[in-house]
Amino acid sequence: LTLGTLGVALGLFVMPVLPWLTDGEGTLGPLLEAARGAGCREARWNVLFLRPGTRELFFGWLRAEFPWLQERYRRLYARSAYVPRDYRDEVEQRISAHARALGLPLCAREGSAAPAEDRAAAPPRQLALVW
C-alpha cells in the first residue's frame, strides 16, 4: 500500500543532481524506477546551482568528503552559479531516457508548470483558522 494507490498525487523532485556524484545511470535510473513503483505521476529535476553563501558551504563539504572532485567543480562552476548548458543537456538526456522508458512524465526543470490535469482542477478551498 502506497500513498499513490490511495489516490494521493505523487511527484519526485530530483534536486539537486550533483555532478559526478548523483548524475550517473546507476543512480538516476533506479531512483526513477523506485518513484514510479511507488506511484509517482511525474518527476522534476535540476542540477545543483551554487549561489554565493551556498557555494562556500558546498565547497567546504566537497573538500572534506570528495576532495578529488574540487577542481572539477571549480571548472564546472567557474563562470556562473549554474552549470554550462552542455552539461545540463547531458543530464536532461539521461533523465529523459529513463523517464520515457518508465512512462513517467518528466516536467521541465525547477520552476516549470504543473501537469495540465493538475492545472485544470479547481483550486483547494482555504480553511479558516477561526474556532
Side-chain angles (χ1 to χ4, degrees):
L1 189 63
T2 67
L3 289 173
T5 61
L6 296 173
V8 176
L10 302 177
L12 173 68
F13 278 40
V14 186
M15 297 177 199
V17 174
L18 302 175
W20 305 295
L21 293 172
T22 64
D23 65 347
E25 298 289 334
T27 303
L28 297 171
L31 176 63
L32 292 170
E33 284 179 44
R36 188 59 166 167
C40 277
R41 294 184 354 182
E42 69 173 25
R44 296 170 188 261
W45 69 278
N46 204 351
V47 176
L48 174 71
F49 54 93
L50 294 171
R51 293 185 178 135
T54 303
R55 180 184 187 97
E56 293 76 17
L57 288 171
F58 182 81
F59 271 93
W61 173 81
L62 192 67
R63 184 175 41 259
E65 300 296 329
F66 300 97
W68 58 91
L69 287 176
Q70 274 188 275
E71 189 52 38
R72 289 179 86 178
Y73 269 79
R74 285 191 202 294
R75 284 193 307 265
L76 190 65
Y77 290 94
R79 292 195 167 115
S80 171
Y82 300 91
V83 296
R85 179 178 293 273
D86 60 338
Y87 175 80
R88 191 179 66 235
D89 290 347
E90 284 177 37
V91 173
E92 183 169 30
Q93 287 174 355
R94 242 176 270 146
I95 290 176
S96 294
H98 286 294
R100 269 193 311 275
L102 295 165
L104 181 64
L106 186 64
C107 296
R109 289 179 311 281
E110 181 182 312
S112 65
E117 71 244 19
D118 290 346
R119 288 192 307 267
R125 186 174 65 90
Q126 175 66 45
L127 299 177
L129 297 175
V130 178
W131 54 90

